[in-house]
């Protein structure tokens, strides 16, 4: 009897501070799969651009910054700053930047056994064939509150109103761009975490994935 190799590819997409990263990490731990936070790739391009003094308004310079990715480790503290996030949100709209990052994400998604990837276009562009797709969302006000708490915990001063404006701006950019806009992928299950505690959101995400596995 031939036992087919079991491969589980999970795509998790959603807007800023929706809880997608926490859920993706928990799913990876639960199913013992490798995890890629694809937002970090865009943040790393932003940091690389900042370090060589490039202009975020120039697609040419942003694409050039991709070459500097190998010099930025995943634990680099600059990756998590608000500045890196906001420049990432701008340069991620450039088709040239997205094209330069596609292959490494697809390779990660193609590994034996499967993987969990989270971002904005995993279920639509990177892995439309994923075994299960989640679209994690929450009300902008709730996401702003979460982001403020996260920043304060890291010792970064943060004001709710400013953060809310930033979140709304990022949503508009991510959803409105021509290339790979943030949208619920075909076949994705929506998980609204507005009123869910972290543990509840993770439990619900696992239930949704299990239902997809059972149906396939
Ligand atoms: O969670 P947060 O929005 O702060 O940031 P992130 O997930 O680290 O992503 C940073 C930026 O990269 C986002 O604002 C998106 O515009 C962009 N991004 C993207 O375009 N495509 C992805 N697959 C992941 C992130």
């Amino acid at each position: 009897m031939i036992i087919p190799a079991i491969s589980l590819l999970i795509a998790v997409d959603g807007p800023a501070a929706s809880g997608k990263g926490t859920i993706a990490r928990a799913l990876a731990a639960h199913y013992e799969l490798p995890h890629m936070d694809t937002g970090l790739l865009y943040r790393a391009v932003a940091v690389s651009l900042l370090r060589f003094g490039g202009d975020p308004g120039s697609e040419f310079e942003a694409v050039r910054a991709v070459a500097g990715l190998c010099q930025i480790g995943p634990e680099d503290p600059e990756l998590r700053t608000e500045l890196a996030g906001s420049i990432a949100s701008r340069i991620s709209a450039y088709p040239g930047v997205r094209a330069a990052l596609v292959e490494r994400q697809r390779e990660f998604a193609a590994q034996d056994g499967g993987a969990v990837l989270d971002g904005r276009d995993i279920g639509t562009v990177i892995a439309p064939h994923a075994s299960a797709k989640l679209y994690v969302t929450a009300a902008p006000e709730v996401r702003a509150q979460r982001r403020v708490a996260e920043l304060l915990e890291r010792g970064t001063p943060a004001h709710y109103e400013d953060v809310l404006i930033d979140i709304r701006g990022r949503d508009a950019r991510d959803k409105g761009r021509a290339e790979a806009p943030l949208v619920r992928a075909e076949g994705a299950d929506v998980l609204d975490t507005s009123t869910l505690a972290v543990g509840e959101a993770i439990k619900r995400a696992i239930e949704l994935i299990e239902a997809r596995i059972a149906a396939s």
Side-chain angles (χ1 to χ4, degrees), residues 16 38-39 42-43 89 92 98 120-121 147 170 174 177:
T38 65
Y42 291 91
R43 284 171 176 265
S89 156
S92 65
R98 303 202 73 84
R120 303 291 193 286
D121 63 341
R147 187 47 57 93
R170 249 198 247 194
D174 288 351
R177 69 184 172 215

